[in-house]
Amino acid sequence: MTLPTRKSGTIPGATVARLPIYHRVLTSLAAQGVTSVSSEELAVACGVTAAKLRKDLSHLGSFGTRGVGYEVAFLSYHIARELGITKSRGLVIVGMGNLGRALASYRAFVARGFHVVGVFDRDPRVVGTSFINGTESLTVQAIDELAVTVAKSDAQIGVITTPGESAQDVADSMIAAGLVSILNFAPVVLAVPENVEVRKVDLAVELQILAFHEHSLDESDQSDLPRVGIA
Amino acid sequence: MTLPTRKSGTIPGATVARLPIYHRVLTSLAAQGVTSVSSEELAVACGVTAAKLRKDLSHLGSFGTRGVGYEVAFLSYHIARELGITKSRGLVIVGMGNLGRALASYRAFVARGFHVVGVFDRDPRVVGTSFINGTESLTVQAIDELAVTVAKSDAQIGVITTPGESAQDVADSMIAAGLVSILNFAPVVLAVPENVEVRKVDLAVELQILAFHEHSLDESDQSDLPRVGIA
DNA sequence: TAGATTGTTAATCGATTAACAATC
DNA sequence: TAGATTGTTAATCGATTAACAATC
């Protein structure tokens, strides 16, 4: 018998994007006391096909047992290890509008291994105000203080929740402060050095993609309608 | 000379997902008084390659002029038309926690052609409370009232911002109320009939994908380190 | 006409799927 | 051994890219 071997080489992007889902479902199964799961069962719970799930996992190594399935805790640990979420990672959030304040208090972040180490805003009227996020109280800081806070804490990810106009300036400040991972909610394309990874979430874009779905239905409704005319 | 012809057939999903970006950038260019743009210029502003942009647009029809470029207003209109965002679409939001309240007041939604027609929560202590979103005041309703509100208004899209435990129930209520487009922020896979389109946004997943990036850097840092030993 | 840029073609790349040999 | 399920292979599918003929 050989120890499970971690595959060398890189993991496809599409696979990386699904690993967090697998991890969350496995965590949930473990909480329910489930100790073993087949690729078919796990796939259904994750909303993917069993073939895709097994293919994804095959990029990490060989963590299942043929004829049996996967041990929930074991697989969960190896996915967490691969994702680098075995330790909690620090966030800074810049832009304390509605969305920024909501994210600063978002309980799912803590539940999934992140902690907010600082919140920032450009507006002097907002700087210095405090609010409660879960257990601790956060005081809004000026953006000048970003670099010092990032250095003092172990912050690794910057979240931008400003309007589009300020987003590039904020990104520049984050990069100057040493951050190389940015989650950008502002509807602008950020220019960053190539060692910096930006993920963009545009909530209005998500709605517009759904609007396309609605619109497609409208059109097919029309062509499905019986046409009045010469028969 | 022939009129620009709209292509028949379906538009690839990857293209549909980028059309809102093109539309937003075109809107921004128009606001700056730019009337004409080349695929190269537009692509840079959108963060894609010119080849990809032209390929995407080719699925909608032929709206450019060879040797010249695209007329901003003309192209913008045709993308909006394709996406079905020439008219404002109504949203209902269920789950008035931090995220739900933030989205209910999110100005970018109105700016991009959506309006909130109702907000809902399960908690009787929250039902009946009001808050201001831009110009109007919204009163939180009980989920029982969802169907009536959807029927009375022109709501077409349901947004779920509840905890995971309630999300499936909420989705069922939305579908019963006649909604077929759902934006789901709860970290669960919703079971829905196949005529219903669900888009899932998991904010913690976005962070976890960035954590993978951080983690990859950690690993390459280590292998880059000079190793002490027999040389 | 000469220069520029589109729209399309063909090649490449990556992701998905189905099937099955390996093996518990 | 018989039944079950993984991990892998090969085929398919869809998306991206580069190059260029069409044409303003």
Side-chain angles (χ1 to χ4, degrees):
Chain A
M1 177 196 167
T2 48
L3 286 173
T5 49
R6 192 190 163 284
K7 283 285 183 61
S8 60
T10 49
I11 298 177
T15 295
V16 171
R18 284 186 293 264
L19 291 179
I21 315 261
Y22 304 155
H23 184 257
R24 180 182 49 68
V25 171
L26 287 166
T27 303
S28 160
L29 288 173
Q32 292 165 45
V34 178
T35 58
S36 178
V37 71
S38 71
S39 62
E40 180 61 34
E41 293 164 337
L42 184 55
V44 168
C46 295
V48 300
T49 63
K52 192 187 276 184
L53 173 69
R54 289 202 302 275
K55 182 84 196 202
D56 283 340
L57 296 182
S58 76
H59 291 109
L60 314 196
S62 181
F63 299 121
T65 307
R66 289 171 203 237
V68 178
Y70 301 89
E71 216 219 295
V72 170
F74 184 71
L75 181 58
S76 180
Y77 168 75
H78 280 285
I79 293 176
R81 204 177 121 82
E82 192 64 46
L83 283 173
I85 53 175
T86 49
K87 62 171 183 177
S88 177
R89 295 190 181 260
L91 310 176
V92 292
I93 305 179
V94 180
M96 285 294 109
N98 291 314
L99 185 59
R101 288 197 309 276
L103 296 184
S105 312
Y106 199 43
R107 303 180 62 187
F109 283 172
V110 175
R112 307 271 280 282
F114 300 92
H115 58 279
V116 178
V117 301
V119 297
F120 299 82
D121 202 283
R122 188 175 69 171
D123 186 341
R125 290 169 299 181
V126 176
V127 172
T129 61
S130 295
F131 59 95
I132 310 292
N133 101 314
T135 47
E136 47 181 359
S137 163
L138 288 167
T139 301
V140 179
Q141 296 175 272
I143 297 177
D144 297 344
E145 304 176 62
L146 188 61
V148 174
T149 301
V150 168
K152 268 201 295 205
S153 66
D154 58 345
Q156 288 176 309
I157 298 175
V159 179
I160 300 178
T161 47
T162 65
E165 307 83 74
S166 343
Q168 183 64 56
D169 284 349
V170 169
D172 293 343
S173 301
M174 285 178 170
I175 293 162
L179 296 174
V180 294
S181 299
I182 294 176
L183 183 57
N184 176 31
F185 288 90
V188 285
V189 177
L190 297 176
V192 299
E194 65 176 27
N195 64 318
V196 175
E197 167 114 339
V198 177
R199 289 191 65 83
K200 186 174 156 194
V201 177
D202 189 322
L203 300 176
V205 162
E206 296 297 325
L207 291 179
Q208 289 178 326
I209 297 171
L210 284 170
F212 175 79
H213 175 240
E214 287 283 341
H215 181 57
S216 307
L217 296 178
D218 292 352
E219 288 197 335
S220 56
D221 276 356
Q222 281 179 13
S223 54
D224 283 354
L225 280 179
R227 292 186 185 282
V228 179
I230 300 155
Chain B
M1 177 196 168
T2 48
L3 284 173
T5 49
R6 194 191 163 283
K7 283 284 183 60
S8 60
T10 50
I11 298 177
T15 296
V16 171
R18 284 186 294 264
L19 291 179
I21 317 261
Y22 303 155
H23 184 257
R24 181 182 48 69
V25 171
L26 286 167
T27 302
S28 160
L29 288 174
Q32 291 166 44
V34 178
T35 57
S36 179
V37 70
S38 71
S39 63
E40 181 60 36
E41 293 164 336
L42 183 56
V44 168
C46 295
V48 299
T49 63
K52 192 187 274 184
L53 173 67
R54 289 202 301 277
K55 182 85 193 193
D56 282 341
L57 296 182
S58 77
H59 291 110
L60 314 195
S62 180
F63 298 122
T65 306
R66 287 169 204 238
V68 178
Y70 300 90
E71 216 219 295
V72 170
F74 184 71
L75 181 58
S76 180
Y77 168 74
H78 279 285
I79 293 176
R81 204 177 121 83
E82 192 64 44
L83 283 173
I85 54 175
T86 49
K87 61 170 185 178
S88 178
R89 293 189 183 260
L91 310 175
V92 293
I93 304 177
V94 180
M96 286 295 108
N98 291 314
L99 185 59
R101 288 198 307 276
L103 296 184
S105 313
Y106 199 43
R107 303 180 62 187
F109 282 173
V110 175
R112 308 271 280 282
F114 299 93
H115 58 279
V116 178
V117 302
V119 297
F120 299 81
D121 202 282
R122 189 175 68 171
D123 186 340
R125 290 169 300 181
V126 175
V127 172
T129 61
S130 295
F131 59 95
I132 309 292
N133 100 313
T135 47
E136 46 180 1
S137 163
L138 288 167
T139 300
V140 180
Q141 296 176 270
I143 297 178
D144 297 343
E145 304 175 63
L146 188 60
V148 174
T149 301
V150 168
K152 268 202 294 206
S153 67
D154 58 345
Q156 289 177 307
I157 299 175
V159 180
I160 300 178
T161 47
T162 65
E165 307 84 73
S166 343
Q168 183 64 55
D169 284 349
V170 169
D172 292 344
S173 301
M174 285 178 169
I175 293 162
L179 296 174
V180 293
S181 299
I182 293 175
L183 183 58
N184 177 30
F185 287 90
V188 286
V189 178
L190 297 176
V192 300
E194 63 175 30
N195 65 317
V196 175
E197 167 114 340
V198 176
R199 288 192 67 84
K200 187 174 156 193
V201 177
D202 189 321
L203 300 176
V205 162
E206 296 298 325
L207 291 178
Q208 289 178 325
I209 296 170
L210 284 170
F212 175 80
H213 174 241
E214 287 284 340
H215 180 56
S216 307
L217 295 179
D218 292 351
E219 289 198 334
S220 56
D221 276 356
Q222 282 180 12
S223 53
D224 284 355
L225 280 178
R227 294 188 182 281
V228 178
I230 301 156

